[in-house]
Amino acid sequence: MRILLQILSFVFVSMVKGQDADKLAGIPFNIENEKEIRIYQGPGIANGGKIFRIYLRKDENWSAELIQWFLPSYTGKDEFITIPPRVIQLKSKDNLEKAFITFEAMNIGYLPKEDLFKYKMSRSKAVYDNDEKEYVLSTREYIITDWIDFLVKYKSNNKENEFHYSNPESYLKDTPGIDEYESFMKVLKYIEANFNIKLD
């Protein structure tokens, strides 16, 4: 029963992406600032998620924050109550403008969608098929279900990028050398070191 509840929770939480997470976090779905980076950390089987956000406000000042949002809580009478998000203003070791440029230097504006490099998570080799009497390609795919998802939205003036990565750290342990994941892990490590927070 517990496993079934975890699976149902995962399916429900997996649907809480983009617009729903933004709504629960109290921020607009579309990036309205000229410069902004959002890194959404999915909740897995937890009851909420986190959004790291660094942006240039309309008044030309920089802000960085961590938003902890929560799924509606079931009251037991076919009713749900909304839990307000918790917003933490972050302190940065680097000047915030420099921090934003540092993210750009780590190619956050160019990292591709996960589908474009999924092939790197499988291992292929030629094997002899006795039935067919010829060599065939055998592919072994690794599927990791840690449920640590990241959605990234990036905007700098007219340039935008958006991508979603699942379990990058775990995949790197099993299939090292995926440079897209390695680049993204550098971004996460910079956030941890510079802002003294953890996203996973």
Side-chain angles (χ1 to χ4, degrees):
M1 182 65 172
R2 184 174 173 214
I3 292 173
L4 177 61
L5 288 173
Q6 287 179 337
I7 291 170
L8 290 174
S9 175
F10 172 66
V11 170
F12 174 70
V13 165
S14 294
M15 295 186 292
V16 181
K17 300 274 187 213
Q19 191 165 5
D20 293 329
D22 291 324
K23 184 176 180 181
L24 292 168
I27 59 176
F29 175 67
N30 293 316
I31 293 179
E32 297 171 354
N33 298 300
E34 282 191 13
K35 295 180 185 287
E36 182 167 343
I37 295 169
R38 297 180 190 175
I39 300 179
Y40 301 72
Q41 187 262 313
I45 56 171
N47 65 345
K50 299 174 188 173
I51 303 172
F52 166 80
R53 190 176 178 219
I54 181 171
Y55 57 99
L56 181 63
R57 301 192 315 252
K58 306 290 185 191
D59 63 5
E60 297 298 313
N61 289 311
W62 287 89
S63 286
E65 60 196 24
L66 182 69
I67 305 171
Q68 173 80 55
W69 56 267
F70 304 94
L71 293 171
S73 180
Y74 181 63
T75 62
K77 298 181 179 180
D78 293 332
E79 294 177 351
F80 290 85
I81 57 169
T82 303
I83 303 168
R86 188 169 59 121
V87 181
I88 302 166
Q89 297 301 318
L90 299 175
K91 293 182 179 178
S92 173
K93 291 177 184 175
D94 288 337
N95 169 287
L96 287 178
E97 182 180 16
K98 180 184 177 185
F100 189 89
I101 300 297
T102 300
F103 287 121
E104 292 185 312
M106 294 178 183
N107 296 317
I108 200 165
Y110 296 97
L111 287 175
K113 297 185 186 308
E114 197 172 51
D115 288 346
L116 296 176
F117 60 91
K118 272 282 190 188
Y119 68 94
K120 295 182 181 182
M121 295 168 223
S122 62
R123 294 181 184 164
S124 300
K125 63 180 179 178
V127 296
Y128 190 77
D129 187 319
N130 288 320
D131 293 333
E132 298 293 328
K133 304 291 187 227
E134 63 183 17
Y135 283 94
V136 296
L137 186 65
S138 173
T139 302
R140 180 179 174 194
E141 293 186 17
Y142 289 88
I143 298 174
I144 294 173
T145 56
D146 288 349
W147 299 335
I148 301 175
D149 288 346
F150 295 96
L151 172 66
V152 176
K153 291 183 181 181
Y154 161 84
K155 181 182 175 186
S156 182
N157 299 317
N158 295 324
K159 184 176 178 182
E160 296 186 41
N161 191 23
E162 183 174 324
F163 58 90
H164 170 262
Y165 290 171
S166 299
N167 311 305
E169 188 172 14
S170 295
Y171 273 115
L172 282 174
K173 286 177 184 173
D174 281 346
T175 52
I178 301 174
D179 55 341
E180 294 85 356
Y181 281 160
E182 288 173 348
S183 294
F184 184 63
M185 290 308 298
K186 287 178 185 175
V187 169
L188 295 183
K189 285 175 183 170
Y190 175 72
I191 291 172
E192 290 178 5
N194 188 62
F195 295 95
N196 196 29
I197 58 169
K198 206 158 173 59
L199 283 180
D200 56 5

